[in-house]
Amino acid sequence: MFATRVLRQAAVHAERTPSIRFLGKRTFPASVDPTPKPHPASPTGALPASWASASAHPTFSAYRDHAQQFGPLRKTIKATSGGIGGTAGSELGPVSPPQGVFFDRNDLPPRFHRQPLTAAEIEAIETGGAALYA
Amino acid sequence: MLSQRLIGRVAVKSAFKPLGLPTIVNASRWSRTYATGSDARDLVIIGGGVAGYVAAIKAGQEGMKVTCIEKRGTLGGTCLNVGCIPSKSLLNNSHLYHQILHDTKHRGIEVGDVKLNLKQLMKAKETSVEGLTKGIEFLFKKNGVEYLKGTGSFVDQHTVKVALNDGGETVVAGKNILIATGSEVTPFPGLEIDEKTIISSTGAIALQEVPKKLLVIGGGIIGLEMASVWSRLGSEVTVVEYLDQIGGPGMDTEIAKSIQKILKRQGINFKTGTKVLSGEKTGDGVDVQIESAKGGKQETLNADVVLVAIGRRPYTKGLGLENIGLELDERGRVIIDSQYRTKIPHIRCVGDVTFGPMLAHKAEEEAVAAIEYIKTGHGHVNYGCIPAVMYTAPEVAWVGQSEQDLKKAGVKYRVGTFPFSANSRAKTNLDSEGMVKMLADAETDRLLGIHIIGPNAGEMIAEGTLALEYGASSEDIARTCHAHPTLAEAFKEAAMATYSKAIHF
């Protein structure tokens, strides 16, 4: 019967579940595998062989553990590796100089050392700058 | 120099007064040891194009200390300066001009003497470009982004040397570095681009006069958009395309044939399946030798101006990649992984200079995702769902897979189409060329691709992209209420035609 068919079709539509539906608040997974994987648009679908040898530190976090830039970037490196920051500062003992001893800037890396003065500079200082205009 | 050094000495002297307390000495010692540490940026971005500037703003919003290096002198890269934006200005205004000349009379609007003022047309274009590029500079300030005008090149894995545009040089260090140097026009061997008679897309948006004859090498999106502009302004335009269809990769074959017919009716000549052999400048233009791609008789075409629009290639010139050992693939793209990392993990790369389609919106998506990967370890770009738009009249837009893609992959699919000639709004606008074509999985009804030719197709494709991103079925769209009378109803009706039947066709 036509009426029955219409009713049946209406029932089908009533039970239909849309494909688009709300999945809930956005959440991040607890952990992510940071191992490099090929880019989805990569024409070869693979990473070059050179990546395996290049990647001594397979993860960004591991890289940052070992990266040096004016000292360690993020975390300390084990003392056995001998890098800067290999030992916690607190374990290095007091940084205060012993009584009667003072640090000199020459204890710092060479870029902080005093620069040699030229004769003209010495004269300029001694004459209060007048030598520059003499 | 001398005065700076003297000032430095005075400062040091005061810190080392023999009577100073030991505690003071300690503090100054530590601060001096790490004094330069504060100069390191969280992120240094090389390139201030769409990929670079979006990444810079996003990074600024995420609280990162960020520097963006751009050598053009204005932000926005190819897209804003010599690409998408200026071409859209010319397309829109040339369309208006063409419409006033040929279309308004039968709408009941009679206009007197209509003249083209090309200089003013170009000025309008420049105003748009200037407003937008300055807008990005404002956004940089708003989001605390440091902007360096100069050419950046790698010194080492953490340091970028910048040859400043105003002279001089500076060095910036970054914990992370993002390569976003974009792309450049691919030259055609034997045709040296002088941007006057042999031009690239950059020259095509800045011609001083309308050429009598324009020859376009390459029937992709850029070639066809520029062909439309100059054809509307009065040029006799011929497009030479090596492949058998126009529109470039990704355009559905049925759609490509359809738009070719429409553009042909508008006066653009096509030579598909034709290769360009050589070109030679003559006294009054350029002679270009062509022959069928399958071989055959040669032919010479003469034109006042030849536009080379055969594509773009990644731009890494002068970047100093050799200093950090980063290699490129066979097409000159920077090789990256799924998180945009190069093989040096803190150096990432997004946009035209790496994998994927060379589209501004793809670059923007990648830029945001790359910053999110740095900041949170999560990012998202769906490469199966990146829309493409060609801004001819009518516009052509698509997202997802084409019919030829699905056939090749052996996927069973259903097709639903709806013509704009059956859409009420298009009819009232007297602008009813084109159609909406929808492809859905034959079994699950999940959308696989959407292809549109028609008025405002570029806006309409957003609905399709959203549906595709969410994994909608064609029935989902068909059961969503669309306002009447709108062009969007054609979209709904195409969805109805895909899973069942359209009402109005």
Side-chain angles (χ1 to χ4, degrees), chain A residues 13 16-20 26 28-29 32-43 47-48 50-51 54-55 57-60 63-64 67-73 84 95-97 102-105 108 111-112 114-117 121 124-125 132, chain B residues 2 5-6 9 12 16 18 20 22 25-26 29-30 32-37 40 157-158 173-176 327 329-330 333 335-343 345-346 348 355-356 366 372 376-378 383 467 470-473 475-476 479 499:
Chain A
H13 290 148
R16 178 181 169 274
T17 311
S19 299
I20 299 180
R26 188 178 178 221
F28 291 121
V32 182
D33 177 13
T35 319
K37 294 179 188 65
H39 187 269
S42 162
L47 292 170
S50 63
W51 278 49
S55 188
H57 312 299
T59 67
F60 182 61
Y63 169 80
R64 291 296 295 273
Q68 296 283 316
Q69 187 185 14
F70 318 119
L73 275 178
I84 298 171
V95 292
S96 306
F102 297 92
F103 289 129
D104 186 80
R105 67 187 296 176
L108 297 168
R111 65 181 185 279
F112 298 112
R114 289 184 182 83
Q115 293 182 26
L117 292 175
E121 283 174 330
I125 293 165
L132 293 173
Chain B
L2 175 65
R5 287 173 67 182
L6 287 172
R9 278 192 199 107
V12 168
F16 282 87
V25 174
N26 289 345
R29 181 183 186 233
W30 277 114
R32 275 181 279 123
T33 302
Y34 291 103
T36 48
Q157 293 187 0
H158 277 289
K175 294 171 188 168
N176 294 281
E327 67 245 61
D329 77 352
E330 76 287 352
R333 294 173 293 202
I335 302 170
I336 53 167
D337 69 6
S338 58
Q339 295 188 16
Y340 310 102
R341 294 172 297 197
T342 63
K343 73 178 181 185
H346 69 278
R348 298 181 193 240
F355 303 136
E366 288 184 337
E372 286 175 342
T376 68
H378 305 274
Y383 287 88
Y470 280 12
S473 64
E475 191 179 345
D476 285 330
R479 291 192 179 282
Y499 95 96

Side-chain angles (χ1 to χ4, degrees), chain B residues 45-122:
Chain B
I45 301 170
I46 309 177
V50 175
Y53 91 70
V54 170
I57 292 170
K58 179 70 182 170
Q61 288 170 350
E62 293 288 347
M64 296 165 88
K65 189 178 174 187
V66 55
T67 294
C68 184
I69 304 162
E70 169 57 52
K71 72 175 179 184
R72 191 187 295 270
T74 52
L75 293 165
T78 299
C79 169
L80 262 81
N81 291 281
V82 290
C84 326
I85 298 301
S87 66
K88 272 8 29 110
S89 169
L90 293 183
L91 277 158
N92 191 50
N93 293 334
S94 64
H95 180 60
L96 279 173
Y97 171 70
H98 194 257
Q99 221 174 2
I100 294 167
L101 276 183
H102 303 287
D103 190 40
T104 54
K105 200 173 177 183
H106 76 281
R107 291 173 186 264
I109 306 165
E110 292 193 6
V111 182
D113 194 20
V114 182
K115 280 184 193 162
L116 173 69
N117 183 343
L118 189 61
K119 206 173 169 187
Q120 185 59 33
L121 198 82
M122 292 295 170

Side-chain angles (χ1 to χ4, degrees), chain B residues 355-385:
Chain B
F355 303 136
M358 288 186 180
L359 295 169
H361 43 277
K362 170 259 190 189
E364 280 184 58
E365 294 296 306
E366 288 184 337
V368 171
I371 301 305
E372 286 175 342
Y373 274 121
I374 293 171
K375 195 73 185 174
T376 68
H378 305 274
H380 168 86
V381 178
N382 181 355
Y383 287 88
C385 195

Side-chain angles (χ1 to χ4, degrees), chain A residues 66 77-84 86:
Chain A
H66 292 81
I77 303 163
K78 295 290 169 214
T80 49
S81 65
I84 298 171

Side-chain angles (χ1 to χ4, degrees), chain B residues 53-276:
Chain B
Y53 91 70
V54 170
I57 292 170
K58 179 70 182 170
Q61 288 170 350
E62 293 288 347
M64 296 165 88
K65 189 178 174 187
V66 55
T67 294
C68 184
I69 304 162
E70 169 57 52
K71 72 175 179 184
R72 191 187 295 270
T74 52
L75 293 165
T78 299
C79 169
L80 262 81
N81 291 281
V82 290
C84 326
I85 298 301
S87 66
K88 272 8 29 110
S89 169
L90 293 183
L91 277 158
N92 191 50
N93 293 334
S94 64
H95 180 60
L96 279 173
Y97 171 70
H98 194 257
Q99 221 174 2
I100 294 167
L101 276 183
H102 303 287
D103 190 40
T104 54
K105 200 173 177 183
H106 76 281
R107 291 173 186 264
I109 306 165
E110 292 193 6
V111 182
D113 194 20
V114 182
K115 280 184 193 162
L116 173 69
N117 183 343
L118 189 61
K119 206 173 169 187
Q120 185 59 33
L121 198 82
M122 292 295 170
K123 203 175 163 193
K125 173 202 76 176
E126 281 148 23
T127 305
S128 310
V129 169
E130 198 180 328
L132 288 166
T133 52
K134 287 274 187 294
I136 302 169
E137 284 191 39
F138 163 74
L139 291 172
F140 268 21
K141 281 179 194 151
K142 186 182 165 192
N143 291 287
V145 177
E146 183 188 24
Y147 171 30
L148 287 182
K149 292 183 185 177
T151 306
S153 63
F154 282 99
V155 175
D156 60 44
Q157 293 187 0
H158 277 289
T159 318
V160 178
K161 184 176 71 184
V162 186
L164 297 167
N165 289 355
D166 294 338
E169 195 176 278
T170 188
V171 169
V172 283
K175 294 171 188 168
N176 294 281
I177 298 176
L178 185 69
I179 302 171
T181 46
S183 60
E184 62 178 352
V185 170
T186 306
F188 191 93
L191 281 174
E192 198 183 329
I193 291 170
D194 60 12
E195 301 296 12
K196 287 194 173 81
T197 50
I198 300 175
I199 59 174
S200 68
S201 55
T202 307
I205 56 165
L207 288 176
Q208 301 296 309
E209 58 183 52
V210 181
K212 279 188 186 134
K213 284 185 184 177
L214 173 70
L215 181 72
V216 181
I217 304 177
I221 290 178
I222 295 173
L224 294 177
E225 287 184 353
M226 286 300 106
S228 291
V229 166
W230 294 106
S231 167
R232 289 168 194 164
L233 298 181
S235 285
E236 184 190 325
V237 180
T238 304
V239 177
V240 180
E241 168 58 47
Y242 182 79
L243 298 174
D244 289 328
Q245 77 166 54
I246 61 165
M251 191 182 279
D252 187 272
T253 302
E254 186 186 3
I255 298 287
K257 281 180 186 163
S258 181
I259 188 68
Q260 188 175 338
K261 274 185 204 161
I262 293 169
L263 293 176
K264 173 84 184 151
R265 276 204 300 275
Q266 291 175 8
I268 299 174
N269 301 309
F270 289 96
K271 286 190 176 289
T272 53
T274 303
K275 67 178 169 191
V276 173

